Amino acid sequence: MQDRNYILNFRVGLGDESGIYYEWQRNWGVDISTPKKLEAAIARGEQRYADEWAAGDEQQLQYVVKASETAGFGDYPALLNDHNAKVVAEAVRRIPGDLTILDIGAGPGNTTLAIYKALDNKDKQRVHFILFDPSAKALEKAKTHLNGEGVSYETYAESDLSIPGYVPAGSVDIATGVASIHHHPKIPFTTYAGVLKWKGIFTSADWHNSMWEHPNRVYGMLKRMGHTDEELADFIIRYPNALESTRPIRNIYEEIANKDIENFWLGYAQIRTEESVSEGKNSIWMLEGHVPPQIYVEAMEDTGLSTNDPELLDIMQSGLRKYRCYENPHRILLGSGLLYLIGGRKI
Ligand SMILES: C[S@@+](CC[C@H](N)C(=O)[O-])C[C@H]1O[C@@H](n2cnc3c(N)ncnc32)[C@H](O)[C@@H]1O
């Protein structure tokens, strides 16, 4: 890990460009011009995320919650789980018999627990959960939460890339991930679609923005975070493209989302400074896999996860009645494209 020079020393750990959406890595100077080079870049990104998350425990997610609150947002991780749980519970209502829900990136169990609590009482006995997360420690915590509630579940301390080794193809009714599937340079939607039954439902509630599309945007953010010219010079040496200009932002929601994510990282930097914490194995790294929701939609459609299936839209609209859902992707926040719930149906 050290020889890859992961952590440039800024007010937050930067990670490195390997975690960024693969098609954007070109902008960061990564050569992905041949299939072999692209494959190597994706493998580097997968290793980066394993290094970031596999050793962490429940505290790692707590830092996300705290940064979110320090940024003035409130508990966005809980908000994502609330929206997701409502849609999944509505999908369960419409699927007869016993069913299996796959929780991708389950962490300390909040996603499974939120779904379980949102289920109608008569549905609680019909549902079995499968939790995947590379962090064994986070899953240990999940077990204590879920045992207390009487949830039927099994856990695998593995990356979601390993799902096909444990879960038979076509066996899952609902696959879901909250704030988790962006931990890839290329999200394995094919894997998610592969384990779903025909007509099975996929949901993702996640963070979205285009901050990481180009180093020029991140350079601006680092400046606004108060880094000195000398510190910023390190970034330029590492990513000379940071001095180039980049394409304009697509729309106002994306613009606000980028401002929001900047505030999130300011919040994270603040808790680091104030508490003088060395998060160690629980640190989270800035250069990450967030993308605008359209990129999820295109990738999902490519793998046979339809985003405009009428039954799926009805499930989303009924599940999110309280929040008024008009379309898929469903934007969760007023005026900002930072958080979306996106549904898919295997067709
Ligand atoms: C922000 S937490 C969200 C946890 C939980 N879904 C929730 O909403 O509370 C992100 C989780 O994704 C997990 N993760 C990272 N890379 C992963 C991978 N390749 N496969 C599955 N989970 C992964 C992390 O270990 C972490 O627990």
Side-chain angles (χ1 to χ4, degrees), residues 12-78:
V12 298
L14 220 57
D16 79 358
E17 74 292 342
S18 65
I20 289 170
Y21 174 54
Y22 72 105
E23 287 198 0
W24 291 350
Q25 288 193 23
R26 253 187 232 106
N27 301 336
W28 291 77
V30 180
D31 183 358
I32 52 167
S33 58
T34 66
K36 221 170 175 165
K37 286 176 176 162
L38 175 59
E39 200 184 308
I42 291 173
R44 254 172 27 95
E46 291 302 339
Q47 186 57 48
R48 170 240 190 261
Y49 281 116
D51 290 342
E52 183 180 12
W53 288 95
D57 57 34
E58 192 182 29
Q59 183 60 36
Q60 198 163 18
L61 179 57
Q62 279 314 311
Y63 283 129
V64 180
V65 172
K66 221 164 172 194
S68 179
E69 285 170 344
T70 308
F73 298 155
D75 187 347
Y76 276 4

Side-chain angles (χ1 to χ4, degrees), residues 53 61 81 105-107 110-111 132-135 159-160 178-180 183-184:
W53 288 95
L61 179 57
N81 272 307
N110 301 345
T111 300
F132 266 79
D133 199 288
S135 165
S159 159
D160 54 4
V178 174
S180 57
H183 298 304
H184 293 282

